[in-house]
Amino acid sequence: MIKFYGYKKCSTSNKAQKWLDQHQVQYTFQDLIQNPPTKEEFVNWLTAYQDRGIKYFFNTHGQHYREQNLKTKINTMTIDEAATLLSQDGKLIKRPLVVDGKKLTCGFKEEIFQNTWL
């Protein structure tokens, strides 16, 4: 089953949810601000998708990212450090985060959703 980590007030999350609904893709929704994925889940994902880089998982345009000056830290960050930050602050996570055990996407681009979730 696909798990959709989103944020109701995020237009990108809403667009992605609408797209999944229109294409009749079944998923469960989890609010990533109130209930972000665990550190262990992030360690697993960051390890499995190392080719995408740590930055792929971060909301680099977000206020929390800028406030913590992560732009200067992200390139030297370990997987463990990144997993800790992401699991403690859902607003640092690029949204939506969609996973199913075999595939994972962060953010919403229609072509990527088409190729990944259909």
Side-chain angles (χ1 to χ4, degrees):
M1 173 61 95
I2 295 172
K3 191 159 212 179
F4 184 100
Y5 293 93
Y7 181 45
K8 295 280 186 196
K9 295 180 181 179
C10 171
S11 62
T12 305
S13 286
N14 293 333
K15 284 180 198 172
Q17 260 189 293
K18 184 177 179 182
W19 189 92
L20 290 172
D21 292 341
Q22 287 174 341
H23 290 85
Q24 300 173 348
V25 176
Q26 298 291 313
Y27 61 91
T28 58
F29 178 88
Q30 184 168 323
D31 187 302
L32 60 70
I33 305 303
Q34 294 177 353
N35 193 12
T38 66
K39 178 181 177 181
E40 292 74 25
E41 288 173 308
F42 275 114
V43 167
N44 290 338
W45 297 331
L46 288 161
T47 302
Y49 299 98
Q50 283 186 45
D51 59 320
R52 298 180 191 184
I54 287 174
K55 191 175 181 180
Y56 177 77
F57 292 84
F58 279 86
N59 177 11
T60 58
H61 298 290
Q63 184 176 349
H64 289 211
Y65 183 86
R66 289 191 307 271
E67 285 172 353
Q68 295 181 48
N69 199 25
L70 293 176
K71 182 178 183 178
T72 62
K73 301 173 187 172
I74 201 159
N75 291 331
T76 58
M77 198 177 287
T78 66
I79 285 174
D80 192 66
E81 291 168 336
T84 299
L85 281 172
L86 291 163
S87 66
Q88 291 175 349
D89 184 353
K91 289 196 175 177
L92 286 175
I93 303 166
K94 186 175 187 177
R95 48 192 184 253
L97 169 62
V98 185
V99 298
D100 74 352
K102 296 177 185 149
K103 301 172 285 200
L104 177 144
T105 58
C106 285
F108 175 66
K109 290 190 174 149
E110 191 169 336
E111 181 180 329
I112 291 171
F113 264 49
Q114 181 94 24
N115 292 334
T116 307
W117 302 117
L118 288 185

